[in-house]
């Protein structure tokens, strides 16, 4: 075997993801598998989602691939570092790729990787495998960083694939998709399959990690996406789909053509997607209805224009409110992502966020406390006030603390206030008066806690 591809997302060992239970396969690895197979390579995927690390090690021992390829994001980093060490013990070199590896090449190399593939993986990995014929990997394959002994060499970046036309579909047949569908059906009552219609996002939100695709944006041809959906329907028969695009409705011409052609073919399958408020107007909202969209997630982030501008979100608070009403009026749910703790945020900005959510009336609100991902503009803004509490290899960027910022307990209370207030208002609107009052009480307690902790700062 030329390469075994795998990742560090082990559901059984991840209490948060296990509770959420909304698993999707790692599309990046499946794209690599499809590309390598087309190039005639002997490739296998060990999908760790429903497995345990020991099973991956056993597979390595039994199959002895020439190289192990791992996908890394900031959450799975500690497991990846551990797997790299285990593979090295077996004498199997490791190539790491994905968003965390792209932004932390040196650290991965000094923690056990032989090669890091930065950015888009297909062409780089194919060339690397073609040219890595002996013990020592080549050091001049564009898009790679290589460690030989103690020497680290960074080859220049590789240009992105110019067009996604003719790009093979993700190799879903390389893994078992049934456990995903079963997990969804058991926990949510329906099976869901993910797919992607475009790569990259041209926006520049300061906290967003764009280590893989930069600010590029390439769309797949509409007909190719429809053909993939037809295949998915026939092969896996999921009840729903998730388009994992960064901004699904970014291109009005594309989405309206997609809706028109899907309608002509009589395909309408419920799906959810992520978008931006100002990328949704009447025509786009109608296209979403025609396509069967049941939920749009909007990165609303804050109800304070000052904070949205500081984030470089390039959207007005009022636009988010108007888009939310426009979508909900058509019977599509709206979910909000809200972030607290951003640079410059004061108590009145969080008050503005609560007010904004009340005015917008979304169906779901999910909150996070901001954390600087290495390589982002936000990380540069925070500078050396960002401190890692644990060594790099066993921490994720989410554990970074920011000196001078309000305490973690303050932000937990702020998030509880925002979520409970949103839920109390939603329940009240739905006529669930008693549960609404209970939620209202929780939100009040959270608000009082915020007030009490307002003076706490991270030392
Ligand atoms: C779908 C998705 C999820 C799904 C995961 C499904 C899955 N199993 O992959 C869910 C919802 C579970 C999820 C969760 C999280 N996610 Co997420 N997610 C995405 C999203 C939107 C799409 C991923 C995708 O399919 N991309 C398309 C494929 C084709 O691209 P790719 O994966 O990057 O793969 C290419 C290259 O990276 C490279 N490559 C990848 N692997 C390898 C391996 C080798 C060996 C090589 C050579 C190359 C290589 O080649 C591939 C093909 O070109 C991305 C954003 C994005 N646009 O990528 C965020 C993203 C990956 N997620 C992110 C984050 C932060 C999270 C969470 C931490 C969020 C949270 N707050 O909880 C959690 C972590 C969960 C966990 N425990 O791992 C960040 C990661 C940032 C970072 N630097 O690590 C991203 C980049 C979003 C962002 N812009 O901030 N996520
Ligand atoms: S947060 Fe969304 S819109 Fe902003 S840069 Fe990232 S992917 Fe693009």
């Amino acid at each position: 075997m030329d390469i075994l591809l795998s990742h560090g997302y082990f559901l059984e060992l991840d209490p948060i993801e296990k509770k959420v239970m909304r698993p999707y396969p790692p599309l990046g690895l499946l794209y690599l598998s499809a590309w390598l197979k087309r190039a005639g390579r002997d490739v296998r995927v060990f999908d760790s989602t429903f497995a345990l690390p020991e099973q991956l090690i056993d597979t390595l021992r039994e199959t002895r691939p020439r190289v192990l390829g791992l996908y890394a994001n900031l959450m799975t980093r500690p497991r990846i570092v551990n797997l790299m060490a285990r593979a090295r013990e077996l004498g199997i070199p490791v190539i790491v790729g994905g968003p965390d590896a792209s932004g932390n090449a040196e650290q991965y190399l000094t923690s056990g990787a032989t090669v890091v593939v930065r950015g888009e993986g297909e062409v780089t990995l194919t060339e690397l495998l073609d040219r890595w014929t002996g013990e020592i990997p080549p050091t001049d394959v564009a898009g790679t960083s290589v460690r030989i002994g103690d020497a680290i060499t960074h080859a220049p970046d590789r240009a992105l694939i110019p067009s996604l036309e003719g790009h093979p579909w993700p190799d879903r047949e390389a893994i078992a998709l049934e456990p995903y569908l079963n997990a969804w059906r058991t926990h949510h009552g329906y099976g869901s399959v993910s797919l992607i219609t475009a790569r990259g996002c041209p926006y520049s939100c300061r906290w967003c990690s764009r280590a893989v695709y930069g600010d590029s944006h390439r769309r797949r041809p509409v007909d190719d996406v429809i053909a993939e959906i037809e295949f998915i329907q026939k092969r896996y028969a999921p009840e729903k789909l998730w388009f994992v695009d960064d901004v699904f409705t970014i291109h009005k011409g594309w989405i309206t053509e997609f809706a028109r052609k899907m309608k002509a073919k009589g395909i309408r399958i419920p799906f959810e997607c992520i978008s931006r408020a100002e990328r949704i107007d009447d025509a786009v909202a109608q296209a979403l209805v025609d396509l069967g969209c049941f939920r749009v997630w909007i990165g609303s982030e804050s109800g304070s224009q000052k904070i949205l501008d500081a984030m470089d979100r390039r959207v007005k608070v009022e636009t988010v409110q108007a888009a939310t009403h426009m979508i909900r009026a058509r019977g599509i749910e709206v979910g909000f992502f809200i972030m607290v703790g951003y640079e410059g945020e004061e108590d009145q900005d969080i008050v503005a966020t609560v007010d904004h959510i009340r005015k917008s009336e979304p169906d779901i609100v999910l909150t996070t406390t901001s954390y600087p991902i290495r390589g982002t503009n936000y990380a540069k803004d925070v500078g050396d006030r960002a401190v890692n509490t644990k060594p790099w290899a066993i921490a994720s960027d989410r554990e970074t603390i920011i000196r001078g910022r309000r305490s973690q307990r303050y932000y937990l209370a702020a998030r509880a206030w925002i979520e409970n207030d949103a839920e109390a208002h939603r329940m009240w609107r739905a006529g669930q008066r008693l549960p609404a009052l209970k939620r209202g009480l929780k939100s009040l307690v959270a608000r009082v806690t915020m007030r009490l902790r307002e003076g706490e700062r991270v030392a």
Side-chain angles (χ1 to χ4, degrees), residues 211-229:
V212 174
Y213 299 115
D215 57 4
S216 70
H217 182 72
R218 289 154 297 157
R219 302 209 65 81
R220 293 174 53 198
V222 165
D223 293 335
D224 186 45
V225 173
I226 296 177
E228 188 184 353
I229 292 173

Side-chain angles (χ1 to χ4, degrees), residues 201-205 207-210 246-247 274 276 301 313:
C201 170
Y203 287 89
S204 51
C205 307
W207 40 262
C208 178
S209 165
R210 297 179 309 146
D246 290 325
V247 187
I274 303 175
R276 292 177 52 98
E301 312 306 347
R313 272 297 288 176

